[in-house]
Amino acid sequence: MTPLSAQEKEKILSYLESRLDPKVYDAWCRSLELETAGANSVRVPTANAFHRDWIEKLLRKPLEDAFLDVFGREVEVVFQVGDAQPVAPPPPAQSRPKTHATAAALKPEYTFSNFVEGPSNRMAYAASVAVSESPAGLYNPLLIHGGVGLGKTHLLQAICHAILARKPDASVHYLSCEAFVNAYISSLHRGNTEAFRSRYRNADVLVIDDIHFLSAKEGSQEEFFHTFNALHLAGRQIVLSSDQPAEAIPSLKEHLLSRFKSGFDAPLLPPTYEMRLAILQRKAAARGWDIPDDVLGHIASSVQTNIRELEGALTKVMGFASLSKRRPDLELANEVIQGTSPSRSRSVTISDVQQAVAKYFNKRVSELQSRRWTKSTSMARQVCIYLCHRLTGASLQELGANFGGRDHSTIIYAIRKVKAAVAGGGKLQSDIDNITRILGLH
Ligand code: ADP
Ligand code: MG
């Protein structure tokens, strides 16, 4: 058994220093001893069983990575109770690494590299990458909002993966809002809310998925408010997702809303055709499926508003092909998709359009219908009237009745105004395209 040369050890230590939290590095690595034990094994002597367990938990993976990355050697690291001096006092309970629990809760495939970027998610994607590169920087809290199956959970978990890859011992907590609420309630029942609090309030990064679940849960909102403040004050990163913009979450207390709005929020919109095709191609390649491009194109143009359903349609086509021992061709794809999505031929109603427009412009449907005038509401209302006219086939009278009893000349005025604005160029056309896509009509 020979100690590593000073030079080799220096390389390993500087690798560890670049990956680990400085506190962990200072406490556990400065006096680390490393010995080679045969070609593929490295021995780490430790003072006693307690230290051995700690060091092993903290350093096994980083050390294995270090030998692989620095020397290209795949080694087994053996932690042994030997004659080493104690390297550090026992760490306080709160700095125990949560890495294992968090990593286990994450889906391994929800990474940035498996995420297809495009016009509908560019901002959310860029902000997520920025947060993972420098947590608690510019985007804090980061709130990603968007409809079902558009990639919220995928992005949130990708942030966790990326932070943990960089700093394996970071205390990263990912949990659904429902899990947060349940844990809070059970801590109330068991009378140990203190433990609950310190668990989340000591996180480096707290990621809560689907915070709209807090809607109308006052106690949990209050608890979350305090958790939020504690973390924010301590300069920790908070990442949230929601199925709609924060201000549209029903029954959310004003002070919590203002916290959610204090950072950066980015929407996830339904993907464009090109993105849908790219997602299908990637999925097929990952599973080793050989599918003609026209079939993928057909699926991409049939399933438009939910990426989970898009992937589901692909799986169904392949499942059906294999069951019926047929090739996955256009004909087969047609049979499968027609059989499963009757919603394609469904026509759009005034209420569908009102809801989509309200969501898009962060308004309430009642604001669109009301007669109240503010500049932004009035613009959203006019776009809404224009789209209802174009998409639903409703008469001017019907439209008037659905927008606070306006007469038909007001309806005509709104439609003309939007037409003129679109003809004059500017941002409105892309808003209209986005809303049509949200409605699944693009
Ligand atoms: P949400 O949480 O918004 O309901 P998910 O994150 O669960 O949606 O995404 C649903 C499915 O779609 C997942 O399998 C996810 O991997 C996939 N997905 C979503 N967006 C993308 C994307 N941009 N690129 C690749 N896959 C995506
Ligand atoms: Mg989700």
Side-chain angles (χ1 to χ4, degrees), residues 143 175-185 196 206 208-228 238-244 246 249-253 255-257 259-260:
L143 169 62
L175 70 164
S176 69
C177 188
E178 189 173 358
F180 180 89
V181 168
N182 290 342
Y184 172 59
I185 292 171
F196 170 82
L206 181 65
I208 307 243
D209 207 351
D210 295 328
I211 50 148
H212 47 269
F213 191 76
L214 282 177
S215 169
K217 299 188 177 64
E218 285 177 21
S220 300
Q221 284 187 26
E222 210 49 37
E223 184 59 32
F224 188 65
F225 177 71
H226 293 299
T227 305
F228 185 104
I238 299 157
V239 183
L240 309 167
S241 82
S242 153
D243 68 354
Q244 48 198 329
I249 300 175
S251 329
L252 194 63
K253 293 273 186 191
H255 57 294
L256 195 52
L257 175 63
R259 291 302 186 281
F260 289 169

Side-chain angles (χ1 to χ4, degrees), residues 107 109-112 114-118 120-121 125 144-156 174 209-210 241-242 268 271 275 278-280 282-283 306-311:
K107 278 204 173 182
E109 66 271 26
Y110 283 2
T111 58
F112 285 131
N114 285 335
F115 192 81
V116 172
E117 190 208 348
S120 74
N121 61 27
Y125 176 78
I144 292 176
H145 58 88
V148 177
L150 293 182
K152 299 183 294 294
T153 299
H154 189 138
L155 270 184
L156 260 49
Y174 168 89
D209 207 351
D210 295 328
S241 82
S242 153
L268 284 175
M275 291 167 70
I279 289 169
L280 290 173
R282 218 178 259 212
K283 202 90 203 167
N306 179 326
I307 299 175
R308 191 175 298 126
E309 281 178 11
L310 182 70
E311 294 177 346

